[in-house]
């Protein structure tokens, strides 16, 4: 009797990674860089994007073409806010067919691929559902993960949600304009970030005043330019 | 042939409700009122509890004995902060044996029951994991659900996370001391809360200045007194 042993991997995260790789292949085919942007609710992701994705987002070779995939449990408030930027924005609701999930996963992003104009953009920003826990557990096929951390949330968040801070290549520390009005120790937050993710890149911003937004734009442009084919290429 | 038809309910939430009822029965046996306190990360739940559960929490018949069950993915930072109150505080980590879940459910709370001094308290405050999505989906055997919403999170949160705002009997609007420093319209937030949960009780607070904390204390005391046996009872 011939027996073949098949190893069944019943890990949902493995299924997720399989689909994330399929997404990645599609992004690669279109030379699109992808950033997965995460934060707690109300940390200022959308306001930062309103500031950063305006006309200022330009690389050495000209303007970088950006698209946004907006993840929300329901509604399209954030997508509506970004409409004024005149860039392609696609809404993905976890409440429609995905059980109101508290995060985006690779399969949800895959379901939106047909609606994304991948052939027209260089950079896709995926704005995840506001949540500091589960989004960090699901890769979606991105090149980089970034999180926004508002100083109004307190200095202790890296210690309470270490997986999120560890999963990211960039931590944006936002709402710095409120520093004079808070009992908040920025050095303590930076120290706590270093404890859980030593050496991770940090950018301090105020989406309201625009402070630090140029640095975020440079980071996004650098990410996009990794994939833009060169004249020689 | 005799057949018995058994209806199998394979709904995880139903299993949760079954365990929540068992928790409820244990709380009832000890005349303990229970509030499930929820919010986004950094909205100020712990600071509010530091303020509210101090010596001021007294009912008409004397001091109300309070205990806290602290829910976190990992660590005991919040429980440590409450240690100064000299009330029983029990830490429950979803990272220990519960897969790092982003919320508390009835089974997790049940696992902590033996560690709770139910015979010594009148009110149990369960501080849930910071998250505006999943905690609203899991009853744990509580009498009431309350959420804290910081004005730094923006006016749109009821529209983006309506299940959370709908699930609660009380919405605490916190960090009101920052109002002069934000572009924030309190009336718009109140309107949005009314849209998703008409008539829900609201208390406006500043955990920093103490504004409104007396109202929160009165609400907690009223909840506790529902169960304290009267002299006649």
């Amino acid at each position: 009797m011939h027996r073949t042993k098949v190893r069944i991997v019943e890990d949902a995260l493995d299924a997720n990674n399989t689909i994330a790789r399929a997404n990645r292949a599609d992004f690669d085919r279109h030379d699109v860089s992808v950033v997965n942007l995460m934060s707690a609710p109300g940390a200022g992701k959308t306001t930062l994007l309103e500031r950063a994705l305006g006309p200022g987002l330009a690389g050495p070779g000209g303007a970088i073409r950006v698209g946004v995939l907006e993840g929300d449990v329901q509604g399209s408030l954030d997508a509506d806010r970004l409409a004024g930027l005149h860039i392609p924005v696609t809404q993905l609701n976890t409440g429609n067919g995905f059980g109101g999930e508290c995060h985006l996963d690779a399969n949800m992003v895959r379901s939106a691929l047909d609606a994304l104009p991948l052939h027209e953009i260089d950079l896709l920003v995926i704005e995840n559902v506001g949540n500091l826990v589960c989004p960090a557990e699901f890769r979606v096929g991105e090149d980089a993960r970034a999180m926004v951390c508002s100083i109004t949330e307190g200095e202790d968040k890296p210690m309470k949600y270490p997986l999120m801070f560890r999963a990211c290549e960039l931590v944006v520390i936002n709402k710095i304009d409120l520093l004079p009005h808070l009992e908040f120790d920025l050095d303590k937050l930076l120290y706590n970030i270093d404890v859980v993710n030593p050496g991770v890149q940090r950018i301090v911003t105020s989406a309201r005043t625009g402070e630090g937004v140029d640095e975020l734009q440079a980071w996004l442009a650098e990410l996009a330019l990794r994939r833009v084919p060169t004249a020689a290429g």
Side-chain angles (χ1 to χ4, degrees), chain A:
Chain A
M1 198 172 100
H2 183 75
R3 288 190 180 191
T4 306
K5 196 164 179 181
V6 178
R7 180 188 285 255
I8 312 268
V9 181
E10 289 192 282
D11 184 338
L13 288 175
D14 270 18
N16 185 74
N17 284 337
T18 300
I19 302 170
R21 281 190 293 271
N23 292 349
R24 180 70 267 159
D26 285 341
F27 297 140
D28 282 346
R29 201 164 22 253
H30 291 91
D31 288 318
V32 173
S33 289
V34 180
V35 57
N36 183 356
L37 186 63
M38 305 179 280
S39 80
K45 290 191 299 302
T46 310
T47 310
L48 271 172
L49 293 181
E50 285 181 286
R51 278 272 188 176
L53 304 186
L57 190 61
I64 288 163
R65 302 168 303 165
V66 185
V68 177
L69 179 60
E70 266 299 334
D72 286 298
V73 177
Q74 69 172 65
S76 63
L77 287 171
D78 292 347
D80 298 345
R81 287 171 59 191
L82 296 177
L85 295 175
H86 302 292
I87 59 174
V89 178
T90 303
Q91 180 71 51
L92 175 55
N93 285 130
T94 70
N96 292 342
F98 298 111
E101 285 283 3
C102 60
H103 57 273
L104 296 182
D105 66 22
N107 197 38
M108 296 178 206
V109 170
R110 189 143 197 86
S111 76
L113 285 193
D114 282 347
L116 294 169
L118 293 181
H119 55 290
E120 294 174 6
I121 60 176
D122 308 309
L123 175 68
L124 176 66
V125 178
I126 300 179
E127 188 178 339
N128 216 309
V129 178
N131 181 346
L132 285 188
V133 186
C134 302
E137 296 174 21
F138 294 88
R139 286 210 165 262
V140 297
E142 69 278 75
D143 294 84
R145 294 188 279 184
M147 71 166 292
V148 182
C149 169
S150 161
I151 65 168
T152 58
E153 296 163 14
E155 305 96 345
D156 59 347
K157 293 302 162 292
M159 316 311 285
K160 295 183 70 178
Y161 304 93
L163 184 63
M164 172 61 71
F165 283 80
R166 243 176 238 138
C168 291
E169 284 81 52
L170 173 68
V171 178
V172 179
I173 299 160
N174 194 30
K175 306 198 187 179
I176 196 66
D177 57 292
L178 293 176
L179 192 57
H181 311 297
L182 302 174
E183 288 161 31
F184 180 84
D185 183 342
L186 182 59
D187 287 335
K188 198 166 168 185
L189 175 68
L190 295 173
Y191 176 85
N192 286 340
I193 292 172
D194 254 348
V195 167
V196 300
N197 193 352
V200 66
Q201 190 171 349
R202 290 102 45 117
I203 298 177
V204 177
T205 63
S206 163
R208 185 156 66 160
T209 69
E211 180 180 343
V213 171
D214 54 340
E215 272 187 83
L216 176 60
Q217 289 175 320
W219 186 88
L220 291 168
E222 198 278 326
L223 189 73
L225 290 171
R226 283 188 211 170
R227 293 196 166 266
V228 173
T230 60

